[in-house]
Amino acid sequence: MDIYTDGACSGNPGPGGWGALLRYGDREKTLCGGEAVGTTNNRMELTAPIQALDSLKHRVTVNLYTDSRYVRDGITKWVINWARNGWMTSAKQPVKNVDLWQQLVAAVSRHDVEWHWVKGHAGDPGNERADRLAAQGMADAIRDAGDVKPVARPSVEASGLF
């Protein structure tokens, strides 16, 4: 399974959105959501893989593609030490977005995830689609301004995996 994720924010903080494209063979599922106010790009970048992985019904091997070095490096390099140090950085400061990092660790633990960084806005079709989904999530959140919590909007149920 391949998953492409992205986050977007208009202002930082400001309204934001996240998007995910899930592919298994010739089947696809899209997810997007957002927050109308007061979020950050990093929170949206983290929310996208959490929502994507949480949407899977069974343990599966995942190639997860993100254009966020923050997410990829955080989950593959930094999170082990953060958790060991009581969610403090090496500078003894609280880890930012700790709630989402903990959710991501839990989501990843339910699957076999290989993390890949892709350059954003460089023509990668999966990344470009995830970017459009993040923009859609942000637009939907702004439109539905009364709902400021992340909202997943699944597309077609494509297989028994998601």
Side-chain angles (χ1 to χ4, degrees):
M1 158 149 317
D2 292 329
I3 297 177
Y4 291 85
T5 65
D6 201 9
C9 206
S10 180
N12 204 16
W18 58 268
L21 168 64
L22 295 77
R23 285 191 180 141
Y24 185 73
D26 62 351
R27 299 177 182 264
E28 288 187 351
K29 178 179 179 176
T30 59
L31 300 169
C32 68
E35 296 186 26
V37 295
T39 194
T40 66
N41 189 65
N42 284 341
R43 289 190 68 78
M44 295 294 93
E45 292 282 3
L46 283 163
T47 300
I50 293 166
Q51 293 292 333
L53 293 169
D54 282 351
S55 76
L56 300 174
K57 295 179 181 177
H58 306 286
R59 183 174 195 93
V60 65
T61 299
V62 174
N63 285 300
L64 200 145
Y65 299 87
T66 177
D67 62 8
S68 171
R69 290 184 194 266
Y70 173 70
V71 171
R72 199 264 330 255
D73 289 349
I75 197 67
T76 63
K77 298 177 184 177
W78 309 330
V79 77
I80 293 169
N81 287 333
W82 288 341
R84 186 177 326 152
N85 295 330
W87 293 97
M88 300 295 275
T89 67
S90 60
K92 308 291 186 222
Q93 298 297 313
V95 171
K96 291 181 181 178
N97 304 311
V98 67
D99 58 328
L100 294 177
W101 283 114
Q102 291 170 339
Q103 289 176 47
L104 184 57
V105 167
V108 168
S109 74
R110 294 186 292 273
H111 303 286
D112 301 307
V113 181
E114 180 75 28
W115 291 87
H116 305 275
W117 179 80
V118 295
K119 186 174 182 179
H121 308 287
D124 181 287
N127 178 258
E128 296 293 337
R129 186 122 171 248
D131 180 69
R132 288 191 301 274
L133 289 164
Q136 177 185 334
M138 181 170 49
D140 290 349
I142 292 168
R143 185 193 66 231
D144 303 336
D147 181 12
V148 295
K149 295 179 183 168
V151 176
R153 292 185 172 89
S155 64
V156 179
E157 288 296 318
S159 76
L161 291 176
F162 46 77

